[in-house]
């Protein structure tokens, strides 16, 4: 189940992925869940993003000891 996150001025994809999903490498999953905002590098305040559920096993190219 996805949750919602409202951006603060200056938020970036990797920072949101780290704080909301536990790892900045979930950034691509987060971006795919919010395609309307994929062109943003830095967010203005007030954009509502969908935060998908994810596990570390989903991260591509993650070494076995990090899964």
């Amino acid at each position: 189940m996805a949750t919602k996150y409202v951006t603060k001025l200056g938020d970036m994809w990797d920072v949101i992925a780290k704080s909301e999903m536990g790892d900045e490498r979930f950034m691509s999953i987060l971006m795919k869940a919010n395609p309307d905002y994929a062109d943003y590098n830095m967010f203005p305040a007030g954009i509502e993003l969908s935060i998908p559920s994810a596990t570390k096993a989903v991260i591509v190219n993650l070494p076995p000891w990090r899964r």
Side-chain angles (χ1 to χ4, degrees):
M1 181 175 168
T3 59
K4 300 293 180 185
Y5 174 80
V6 178
T7 61
K8 299 177 293 269
L9 180 63
D11 272 346
M12 298 173 71
W13 288 109
D14 59 339
V15 174
I16 297 168
K18 173 77 173 167
S19 68
E20 298 300 311
M21 300 171 74
D23 198 309
E24 64 273 3
R25 291 173 291 180
F26 287 127
M27 182 176 84
S28 61
I29 296 168
L30 181 59
M31 292 175 79
K32 286 179 186 173
N34 297 280
D36 292 345
Y37 305 107
D39 291 336
Y40 283 74
N41 291 319
M42 190 175 293
F43 287 94
I47 294 177
E48 188 175 284
L49 299 177
S50 176
I51 308 295
S53 298
T55 63
K56 290 196 182 231
V58 174
I59 300 173
V60 178
N61 298 325
L62 187 64
W65 64 87
R66 294 285 315 257
R67 292 185 187 156

